[in-house]
Amino acid sequence: QWLGTADINEAVRIIVQKGELAFTQEQRKKMFDAKKKKIVEFIHMNASDPNTGLPHPIQRIELAMEQVKVHVDPYQPADAQIEPIIKQLRVILPISMEKFKIRVLIPAKYSSTAYSPIKHKFSLQQENWKDDGSVEFVLEGPAGIKPDIFNLINKLTAGEAVIEELKK
């Protein structure tokens, strides 16, 4: 009765609500590594180098984090840590959180095979199927994934899609 009750269900409830979990060193390291990886991947996918417009390589982000001695808290959600970490990284790494917007026209001979994988991966706006079977849409995303999107569209359409960058 060291929890103030003999009822096992009540004891479990008290332990779950008020108890603290003790993790091993290995478990803490795994949690830390997973959290750090999630943060680095988010920055890689959503941020870019304003000088080139390209995403920073993962290794460059990790080295910059070491250089400015970024502290990743394994117990705090990754989303809550991203903004302060980006602020720290900006001291030595130019980071832009810009988005891009493109208009894509997929020719009729590729529209049935290319449209579905693109729509599955990205949120499309202003979709317009033309009478000739081609499809046009606007796609918006973080600047860091722009090269991947261009590569995917060109791969699915053998380079025949018309991609037009739209100004914000």
Side-chain angles (χ1 to χ4, degrees):
Q1 271 201 345
W2 54 273
L3 289 174
T5 181
D7 179 14
I8 192 151
N9 291 328
E10 181 65 16
V12 168
R13 189 184 65 73
I14 291 169
I15 291 169
V16 169
Q17 285 181 345
K18 298 182 180 178
E20 290 184 21
L21 292 175
F23 294 105
T24 66
Q25 179 87 20
E26 186 180 326
Q27 288 171 321
R28 281 195 303 277
K29 180 164 177 21
K30 281 184 182 177
M31 287 172 57
F32 171 81
D33 290 344
K35 194 76 57 149
K36 181 180 175 188
K37 183 178 181 198
K38 188 174 182 178
I39 291 168
V40 168
E41 285 176 355
F42 177 89
I43 294 169
H44 173 69
M45 294 298 288
N46 292 283
S48 62
D49 182 339
N51 302 324
T52 64
L54 298 172
H56 287 291
I58 286 176
Q59 189 175 12
R60 184 182 301 158
I61 296 166
E62 289 172 340
L63 289 172
M65 287 174 75
E66 286 176 27
Q67 217 173 329
V68 295
K69 297 179 177 25
V70 165
H71 171 72
V72 175
D73 185 342
Y75 303 106
Q76 191 179 18
D79 299 349
Q81 299 183 65
I82 289 170
E83 198 172 313
I85 288 174
I86 288 174
K87 201 177 277 187
Q88 283 180 276
L89 291 176
R90 279 196 170 122
V91 172
I92 62 165
L93 194 65
I95 294 179
S96 170
M97 296 298 286
E98 303 241 342
K99 291 194 175 281
F100 72 92
K101 199 173 201 175
I102 56 173
R103 181 181 320 281
V104 179
L105 175 65
I106 298 177
K109 68 179 178 180
Y110 299 106
S111 61
S112 61
T113 54
Y115 174 78
S116 186
I118 295 168
K119 179 152 178 100
H120 180 70
K121 274 189 159 186
F122 307 103
S123 176
L124 308 182
Q125 305 163 357
Q126 301 171 20
E127 296 176 44
N128 181 16
W129 286 88
K130 311 277 186 184
D131 292 337
D132 66 357
S134 63
V135 63
E136 183 178 49
F137 53 84
V138 171
L139 192 148
E140 189 173 6
I145 64 169
K146 188 162 85 171
D148 297 336
I149 290 173
F150 278 54
N151 289 338
L152 176 66
I153 292 169
N154 285 321
K155 180 179 157 198
L156 293 171
T157 64
E160 292 184 37
V162 177
I163 303 172
E164 172 193 358
E165 190 124 17
L166 302 174
K167 300 292 178 218
K168 287 269 172 184

